[in-house]
Amino acid sequence: MALFDGQHIVAEVVYRQSIHASYGGVIPEWASREHEVRLPLAVLQVLEKTHLTWKDLQVVAAAQGPGLIGSLLIGFTFARALAAAQGLPFIGVHHLQAHVASLELGEKPVVYPLLVLVATGGHTHLFRVAHPLEMELLGQTQDDAVGEAFDKVAAFLGLPYPGGPEIEKLAEKGLPSAVSFPMPRTARPWDFSFSGLKTAFIHARQRHMDLPTEDLCASWQHTVFTYLVQKLIQAAQAHRIPRIGLVGGVAANQYLRQLLTQAAAEAGLDLYLAPLPYCMDNAAMIAVAAWHRYLTGHYTPLTAAPFARE
Ligand code: KG4
Ligand code: ZN
């Protein structure tokens, strides 16, 4: 839950659900129940922190989709009810638009147009962003999302969910050049594919049982991110866009941030990285995206419904 004043996040309450850790992924039913319990408390806590009341609010926003429908229904319905009760406008925000808007929570003022890679557990989407409300999809994964590949590899190793940070921790202690993995290929130049790399990890593990898991993770992570970085740089050059951005849960990975920072500098591209606290799903990015719609009067009718897929 975040409270935004048009420029800054004034207060926020973040609750990360840990109940899914040992199950290899999010259990949708549990996620919904946790939302149901936490949401009313989070709203009250945010108001308490700021000494504001319902009367001080101007607009209420919530994620509309794509995402887990049970969780979306609870947040969306809660926010619509709040807006209706207070007579406030309501804005339903597109999940990916919000990830892109997380760049505006960084220190560097964002200049558009911008080429942005959204790298999460559900999406690996490349957008040309002309304005926070105007995004053109240039390419996307043809199978697993990059975060999903991390989660599946982690689950294969018996590590907790989410798998990305677990693989990153192991990779820090390993050798990125220990094993070489083949780079994926796609029919269209700006699409992605990760399921082959995921299978290659499993085969490599079975073939080199004596190889330290740290080396295997470091090599695999290196290949995945080299692939992402090369694509992003090439796409920016091909589209003649001098600025690139990286957002989403996977953007929290320090190794990826380093690789991209170096590659962008070498290519002479201006780089925007989502601030670390706003890489994984969060309310602040929903608020920033909603603010752009609020300014242009793009309200959402209270009869609108959340959606699971685009
Ligand atoms: O954006 P996000 O919180 O939720 C979705 O919209 O999906 O992204 C979650 C994904 C998970 O797959 C998680 O494993 C991955 O982001 N992730 C990471 C790291 N932190 C989170 N992947 C690689 N390295 C990380 N440090
Ligand atoms: Zn997300």
Side-chain angles (χ1 to χ4, degrees), residues 32-292:
S32 304
R33 285 169 188 272
E34 287 272 286
H35 276 301
E36 186 69 45
V37 174
R38 298 283 170 174
L39 207 44
L41 295 174
V43 178
L44 295 177
Q45 283 168 354
V46 159
L47 288 177
E48 213 172 87
K49 275 190 186 190
T50 51
H51 304 292
L52 295 176
T53 71
W54 303 117
K55 299 275 169 280
D56 298 310
L57 304 181
Q58 275 171 280
V59 54
V60 185
Q64 188 166 3
L68 277 181
I69 197 64
S71 301
L72 287 168
L73 274 167
I74 288 169
F76 199 74
T77 301
F78 185 91
R80 275 183 302 172
L82 193 58
Q86 300 300 324
L88 296 170
F90 170 71
I91 294 172
V93 173
H94 194 283
H95 182 171
L96 301 189
Q97 216 163 48
H99 271 299
V100 171
S102 72
L103 292 177
E104 295 195 351
L105 289 163
E107 310 229 309
K108 193 159 94 173
V110 183
V111 179
Y112 298 92
L114 188 70
L115 201 81
V116 182
L117 179 69
V118 182
T120 73
H123 297 85
T124 309
H125 277 34
L126 187 64
F127 290 104
R128 183 213 301 262
V129 184
H131 173 269
L133 300 181
E134 219 184 297
M135 297 168 30
E136 181 196 348
L137 183 64
L138 299 179
Q140 60 180 305
T141 181
Q142 295 303 298
D143 38 61
D144 290 345
V146 57
E148 186 181 1
F150 272 86
D151 295 334
K152 286 179 176 171
V153 161
F156 168 74
L157 292 175
L159 299 169
Y161 175 87
E166 301 293 327
I167 301 287
E168 179 178 16
K169 253 184 271 163
L170 285 172
E172 269 165 26
K173 292 178 242 142
L175 202 63
S177 57
V179 186
S180 69
F181 291 97
M183 281 288 174
R185 288 176 176 277
T186 49
R188 283 185 299 261
W190 314 123
D191 281 345
F192 301 88
S193 167
F194 296 99
S195 78
L197 275 171
K198 174 194 63 191
T199 310
F201 181 98
I202 294 169
H203 286 164
R205 167 78 298 172
Q206 289 160 345
R207 224 178 303 123
H208 311 283
M209 287 307 280
D210 50 337
L211 192 76
T213 308
E214 288 82 357
D215 285 352
L216 198 56
C217 288
S219 303
W220 187 77
Q221 179 182 261
H222 177 77
T223 312
V224 171
F225 289 155
T226 302
Y227 173 58
L228 274 187
V229 166
Q230 280 176 0
K231 266 231 168 158
L232 188 51
I233 301 277
Q234 282 165 6
Q237 289 168 338
H239 292 87
R240 298 183 189 282
I241 302 176
R243 287 169 293 270
I244 52 176
L246 175 70
V247 302
V250 180
N253 188 293
Q254 291 299 339
Y255 190 72
L256 171 58
R257 291 171 88 91
Q258 279 165 21
L259 276 187
L260 189 58
T261 302
Q262 197 181 336
E266 281 166 13
L269 297 169
D270 204 4
L271 175 65
Y272 296 84
L273 294 169
L276 268 189
Y278 301 122
C279 289
M280 298 271 274
D281 284 350
N282 61 88
M285 70 183 191
I286 302 288
V288 176
W291 188 254
H292 284 286

